[in-house]
Amino acid sequence: MTTTAVPGNARSAAHRRPRAAPRWWKDAGGVAAGLSLLIVTALWVKGGGVREIAGGGSAAITAFARLAGLWASDLLLIQVLLMARIPMVERAFGQDRLARWHRWTGFTSFWLMLAHIVTVTIGYAAGTTNVVTQFWDLVRTYPGMLLAAAGTLLLLLVVATSIRKARRRLRYESWHLLHLYAYLGVGLALPHQIWTGSDFTGSALARAYWWTLYAVALAAVVVYRLGVPAWRNWRHRLVVTRVVPEGPGLTSVYLTGANLTDLTVRAGQFFHWRFLDGPGWTRSNPFSLSAAPQPDSLRITVKNSGDGSGRIASLKPGTRVLVEGPYGKLTGESYEGGPVVLMACGIGITPLLSLLGELPYRSGEATLIYRARSDEDLAFRGELEWFAAQRGVRVVPLTGRRPDRDSWLPANLAGQPDAAVLRQVAPQVAAAHVYICGPEQWAGMARAAAIEAGVKPARVHTELFAW
């Protein structure tokens, strides 16, 4: 292992840190999403939707189809906004929570869209022709419907690759590229709504609402997915300075750049990275900072998982880097001192190591629980020894194979209750802030154990390695 001298917090404190998100931001976000669905429903009612359903027959079917389509469109645009990297939204909820909501919203929107397609076809076909003929006639002759059909197929592709089993079979880069087609799918659906949607063409109020929502979604994507990253990369101009092996399959990359003290980033956060070293540079990968950000440098540590991460060990000093971020809420923004317990599994050690360098705990207040398959897989031995000696961190390695039951513990300890073992290795856990990072299933079990051990849910901070 490489032994690294670890600078103290006095040096990292010079770095600008984003302010903590006000608590009311979360409530405001939820209210805005719910209000948008209420507005859409109210516009449908104003357009005669309830009256048509009460009348029964084919008019009732098409009225339901209109409502399903309106909800689907509204949720689709909310889905875009959830992942538009809007700073206020990112800081309020965090990337992993937004990713879950984005997925749930996307599935709901897709099923509503299918309900819209099926019911509008049945409603138009009632008493005149069969549904297959009617569907083909709608696609072929109605303005914007061919484009909408193409958009639906693209969204179907995105939904199919979002299913858990499908995600596990895809490389992250392939999954990310396929998901970019969602933007094209949304764009292709717009002409159909403008040209043939009675709830759009028949009401000036509805047109104003939908144009505003589309404009906000487009502006958010252009500004925060394109404009802000471009400005940030121009201002900071990151380059690789050193590439250091840390252990089996682990490589640290040290970077420097211009005006880094103005980069608003905290320990525990991550960026999406593109290394301009040749073919494949267009595909980004999310990597967390593995050391507290310094006024003149950043560090990430990457596990070789066979995707774009496999190129990291061969990077050369001077390689230019493009980033998007920082993202994530696994930070110390709510920590003001007292006991702290950090629970890491595998590569999840990286953001927790950076937190060890930034959090203002006193000697004896911090416990790091490090879960790995074997002693050889325990990385950063030198730094962990430094934290133990210089800052009084209690390092507890838990090594061994996975247990036969669901547990965050290794097999040799899994015969005992999860929470009891946690209280044993971290006696102050009930009064602590707990930071957890690792694979999704493991992190969920670790979180459950912490809460069972007496930790308040608001003091349990997680960052899931999932997409």
Side-chain angles (χ1 to χ4, degrees):
M1 302 292 177
T2 300
T3 301
T4 305
V6 181
N9 280 343
R11 192 174 175 222
S12 64
H15 216 279
R16 282 183 62 191
R17 298 175 183 172
R19 292 176 297 174
R23 293 184 178 181
W24 64 266
W25 281 12
K26 292 183 179 180
D27 297 330
V31 169
L35 186 61
S36 71
L37 290 170
L38 285 176
I39 292 173
V40 165
T41 305
L43 291 171
W44 172 80
V45 171
K46 182 177 181 295
V50 173
R51 183 176 63 253
E52 291 170 2
I53 285 183
S58 62
I61 298 174
T62 55
F64 173 78
R66 284 167 40 216
L67 182 60
L70 292 170
W71 282 345
S73 296
D74 197 69
L75 289 174
L76 191 61
L77 292 171
I78 290 175
Q79 186 186 18
V80 170
L81 289 170
L82 284 173
M83 298 304 286
R85 312 295 196 224
I86 301 171
M88 176 178 176
V89 177
E90 293 278 339
R91 288 166 54 195
F93 297 105
Q95 266 281 299
D96 58 348
R97 184 178 298 179
L98 289 176
R100 290 196 302 272
W101 291 348
H102 172 81
R103 192 158 57 244
W104 297 338
T105 304
F107 282 128
T108 304
S109 174
F110 178 74
W111 288 114
L112 284 169
M113 182 178 65
L114 285 186
H116 166 71
I117 294 170
V118 171
T119 52
V120 78
T121 303
I122 292 173
Y124 275 59
T128 58
T129 183
N130 65 67
V131 292
V132 176
T133 302
Q134 181 62 61
F135 177 74
W136 175 243
D137 185 60
L138 285 171
V139 172
R140 185 172 55 88
T141 62
Y142 278 61
M145 286 300 297
L146 276 174
L147 294 177
T152 300
L153 290 176
L154 290 175
L155 293 173
L156 175 61
L157 176 65
V158 172
V159 168
T161 55
S162 296
I163 298 171
R164 190 180 300 273
K165 287 185 179 180
R167 295 204 317 271
R168 289 174 178 171
R169 293 176 177 271
L170 287 172
R171 297 187 311 158
Y172 171 80
E173 294 91 343
S174 301
W175 173 87
H176 186 264
L177 178 62
L178 288 170
H179 267 62
L180 294 179
Y181 286 110
Y183 293 112
L184 182 57
V186 174
L188 291 175
L190 177 59
H192 147 66
Q193 189 175 7
I194 296 173
W195 296 336
T196 63
S198 60
D199 290 279
F200 195 96
T201 60
S203 168
L205 187 61
R207 287 196 299 274
Y209 170 78
W210 284 107
W211 276 121
T212 300
L213 190 56
Y214 270 107
V216 168
L218 177 62
V221 170
V222 171
V223 171
Y224 297 115
R225 295 303 297 264
L226 300 176
V228 170
W231 176 84
R232 189 163 284 154
N233 282 291
W234 173 82
R235 177 166 174 74
H236 298 297
R237 300 187 294 280
L238 291 174
V239 295
V240 173
T241 56
R242 284 193 295 152
V243 179
V244 179
E246 298 287 0
L250 287 180
T251 302
S252 285
V253 179
Y254 292 79
L255 308 106
T256 191
N259 308 302
L260 287 190
T261 54
D262 294 330
L263 181 62
T264 51
V265 59
R266 295 194 70 130
Q269 292 190 299
F270 67 94
F271 293 83
H272 286 265
W273 303 82
R274 290 182 174 87
F275 296 94
L276 307 186
D277 61 335
W281 71 267
T282 57
R283 298 188 295 268
S284 69
N285 282 273
F287 301 130
S288 298
L289 296 181
S290 60
Q294 305 301 319
D296 57 355
S297 68
L298 301 173
R299 188 186 75 180
I300 60 173
T301 302
V302 180
K303 180 180 180 180
N304 183 355
S305 58
D307 299 331
S309 56
R311 299 162 38 216
I312 299 301
S314 62
L315 290 174
K316 304 298 183 185
T319 300
R320 292 192 58 194
V321 184
L322 300 179
V323 295
E324 296 176 46
Y327 305 125
K329 277 184 66 65
L330 191 70
T331 67
E333 67 177 31
S334 61
Y335 175 77
E336 296 178 351
V340 58
V341 175
L342 304 98
M343 303 173 69
C345 182
I347 193 62
I349 185 63
T350 55
L352 302 190
L353 194 62
S354 70
L355 281 168
L356 279 177
E358 181 180 284
L359 295 178
Y361 53 85
R362 293 179 297 183
S363 178
E365 287 186 324
T367 299
L368 171 67
I369 302 171
Y370 188 178
R371 174 78 174 90
R373 287 175 297 182
S374 65
D375 288 342
E376 291 72 24
D377 290 312
L378 294 171
F380 302 105
R381 290 177 183 269
E383 291 190 29
L384 296 179
E385 290 171 0
W386 187 94
F387 278 114
Q390 301 298 322
R391 296 204 56 193
V393 177
R394 185 165 174 261
V395 180
V396 182
L398 296 179
T399 59
R401 63 179 179 83
R402 293 180 180 179
D404 295 329
R405 70 174 181 89
D406 288 340
S407 174
W408 67 278
L409 297 166
N412 62 315
L413 294 174
Q416 306 175 56
D418 285 10
V421 175
L422 179 57
R423 283 192 291 262
Q424 180 181 349
V425 300
Q428 297 177 299
V429 67
H433 278 266
V434 178
Y435 294 86
I436 300 171
C437 191
E440 184 173 3
Q441 184 179 9
W442 180 90
M445 292 183 292
R447 185 179 190 278
I451 292 173
E452 187 180 347
V455 184
K456 296 179 181 179
R459 285 174 168 251
V460 181
H461 315 279
T462 61
E463 192 84 82
L464 302 180
F465 280 5
W467 40 272

